[in-house]
Amino acid sequence: MAETLKSLDELVSLCKRRGFIFQSSDIYGGLASCYDYGPLGVELKRNVKNAWWKSVVQMRDDMVGLDCSILMHPMVWKSSGHVDKFADLVAECKKCNTRTRVDHLQGTEGAETTHHSHGEEQEHTDLSGKVCPSCGTTGQFTNPMPFKLMFETQMGANVEDSMKVYLRPETAQGIFANFRNVMDSTRIKVPFGIAQVGKSFRNEVTTKAFIFRTREFEQMEIEFFCQPGTDEQWWEHWKEQRMQWYLDLGIRRENLKFRPHASDELAHYAKACVDIEYRFPFGQGDWQELEGIANRTDYDLRQHQRGMRSVTKWFESGRNTEKTSLVEEPEDWHKGPLSFFDDEARERYIPYVIEPSAGADRGTLAFLVDAYAEEEVRGEKRNVLRFHPKLAPIKVGVFPLVKKEGMPERAKAIYNDLRGYFSCFYDEKSAVGRRYRRQDEAGTPYCVTVDGQTAEDNTVTLRDRDSMEQTRVSCDKLLGLLREKLDM
RNA sequence: GCGGGUGUAGCUCAGUGGUAGAGCGUCACGUUGCCAACGUGAAUGUCGUGGGUUCGAAUCUCAUCACCCGCUCCA
């Protein structure tokens, strides 16, 4: 009987052995939390991203795509709240060496809360009355130290002129910053959404479990703009759509679930949020987030309207983003530059935003984990990755049964024909059974084998990865049949 | 960041102070006629990295890096 994955180690080993995923900078001993996608991995991950794009952009009338730069104007991150919220102060308890965010510490006397402000004076906050949530000791803290969750770099080669900029911690803000541009250039109308795939960077406190939580990661994000009041129904719509996407690509239903966020868990901008979780085989079979679907309300667009009007202040502060504060929102904010005039409703408003935000690396890992199976065939162990054909790095393996009697030539001709339509792999080395098993471990759904009979009647065998059954197929019908089976 | 564990060939691992090994995989040749076949041969090691102890270190020791498990953290 087929067995699924018990620990991540087996998968990590397979990923390295077969060229899916390598540790970054491996020859230098590795760099924490960074991973590289090898020849098979890059195909798999690209297939995941392409399947997402097809589902949310290509097949929909109400979606368009975008690809923003990773570096943006620093004020983008002031407006979004990341400059403040992503620079928390942390203090370490000298007793138990546990680090805790200063604004999470509770005092013994009174509940005087430390407010978010990030001047140097913060670092001398009196923590003598605070209690360590870990060991209960009072007042044994180090001085608060800033914990920068955004990656910083500088723009400009000349030190004098260079400016501090951030690597984006989410792709979402690039979408909000381009809301106007997309509206003005596409004739699209609310309700509509913008999709983007791209790298983001966060200095996570702890990284975790292979490519699950890394500091450099790739997101697949949608910001869907809708009329206030319709947001809840669109949130439901995307919940269902996104769950169905994972199911359609072959993830087992019992390994997927929704997890609604409790109200005290919601981000400052969110009205509602639900995670799509997958049961990963790390921890104790832990459920972990693949994607979050949040109702961001009109928070972001309103904040950017404030930010747009604060640029002069920023310049006057000497381009010091942390010391710039946003101007107040005017009375008529709903008519601002990022508002939308709804012809049908005859009103102007700031759209509400539903954000389905998925991790491309997490998704790829989930597809790998869910596809993994070990089974016994004739007393031998068979490792197979049962990828959905759309995700399989290689769609078709093409072999000559043996390396003689013109079989390699015929097989190569078929290979050269098929590779124009989908990624194929030609192999003539060692016994054919071994070649089948090699393709099983790469997750290749079909293998085509040229044999002695091919020369007589122009037929080949088509072997199915999952059933291991073979059928004879005429070469003339091969391409059509494969396109049908692979749905490509 | 804390505690525990691990690090030796591409992978899995043996080797506990004295000449670096096995299985699998890879490659070549032969054989082979549909599911990890067989024979012969071959290649592949900064023993994670750097210091120390020692006549001699994969082995002892210190530091460091990376990974795993558990805390902690996770707008």
Side-chain angles (χ1 to χ4, degrees), chain A residues 33-274:
Chain A
S33 158
C34 294
Y35 292 90
D36 300 340
Y37 287 83
L40 289 181
V42 67
E43 299 285 348
L44 173 63
K45 188 180 176 188
R46 195 197 306 115
N47 291 342
V48 170
K49 292 187 281 185
N50 286 348
W52 181 85
W53 192 267
K54 183 172 181 183
S55 157
V56 306
V57 178
Q58 189 180 332
M59 299 303 288
R60 294 182 66 113
D61 295 330
D62 56 358
M63 290 284 301
V64 291
L66 190 65
D67 185 4
C68 304
S69 67
I70 287 172
L71 304 176
M72 285 184 259
H73 193 293
M75 281 299 283
V76 167
W77 306 112
K78 184 69 186 186
S79 304
S80 69
H82 288 87
V83 168
D84 300 332
K85 298 285 179 185
F86 267 58
D88 291 304
L89 291 167
V90 173
E92 186 168 309
C93 173
K94 291 171 190 163
K95 200 89 176 173
C96 66
N97 293 315
T98 304
R99 291 182 165 191
T100 311
R101 275 170 54 172
V102 170
D103 60 341
H104 283 183
L105 289 175
Q106 301 289 320
T108 42
E109 76 283 341
E112 149 256 347
T113 35
T114 323
H115 219 70
H116 270 302
S117 78
H118 299 281
E120 286 78 46
E121 69 276 8
Q122 260 302 272
E123 293 171 35
H124 305 294
T125 310
D126 179 27
L127 297 177
S128 59
K130 302 292 184 183
V131 180
C132 175
S134 175
C135 67
T137 309
T138 304
Q140 291 295 308
F141 291 100
T142 60
N143 281 333
M145 36 198 169
F147 203 92
K148 305 215 176 216
L149 289 173
M150 277 201 292
F151 278 70
E152 294 175 358
T153 185
Q154 72 288 327
M155 193 175 222
N158 193 324
V159 181
E160 299 275 306
D161 302 340
S162 72
M163 171 170 78
K164 179 163 95 179
V165 293
Y166 304 99
L167 305 192
R168 65 181 176 201
E170 62 176 24
T171 59
Q173 297 303 326
I175 296 179
F176 296 127
N178 277 291
F179 172 70
R180 193 77 254 167
N181 285 337
V182 172
M183 291 279 295
D184 291 348
S185 56
T186 60
R187 296 164 49 228
I188 202 161
K189 287 177 177 168
V190 173
F192 78 99
I194 302 176
Q196 172 164 221
V197 177
K199 287 280 182 90
S200 293
F201 303 82
R202 295 180 195 177
N203 270 317
E204 298 286 355
V205 178
T206 316
T207 56
K208 190 175 179 178
F210 200 34
I211 59 170
F212 181 78
R213 180 182 295 145
T214 52
R215 297 198 170 101
E216 173 180 345
F217 58 102
E218 196 156 16
Q219 294 186 295
M220 305 187 292
E221 288 199 303
I222 296 166
E223 305 303 328
F224 193 86
F225 303 94
C226 61
Q227 186 180 8
T230 64
D231 49 303
E232 289 181 22
Q233 106 199 22
W234 281 110
W235 184 69
E236 291 293 338
H237 168 83
W238 280 109
K239 245 179 89 173
E240 299 311 317
Q241 289 288 307
R242 295 302 308 140
M243 177 60 95
Q244 196 57 44
W245 183 77
Y246 292 99
L247 293 169
D248 289 346
L249 288 172
I251 301 235
R252 278 164 283 193
R253 185 173 286 276
E254 64 266 29
N255 290 334
L256 285 169
K257 72 170 185 193
F258 285 117
R259 191 184 67 84
H261 283 213
S263 53
D264 61 352
E265 185 187 1
L266 290 174
H268 57 283
Y269 51 75
K271 178 173 157 188
C273 188
V274 64

Side-chain angles (χ1 to χ4, degrees), chain A residues 371 375 382-389 391-394 436 439-447 462-469:
Chain A
E375 52 186 38
R382 179 172 92 121
N383 276 350
V384 54
L385 289 173
R386 300 186 195 277
F387 290 130
H388 188 282
L391 300 183
I394 302 168
Y436 287 145
Q439 292 305 313
D440 288 342
E441 211 175 34
T444 307
Y446 296 103
C447 292
L462 181 63
R463 183 261 193 185
D464 181 277
R465 175 193 67 202
D466 298 332
S467 67
M468 292 187 284
E469 278 169 11

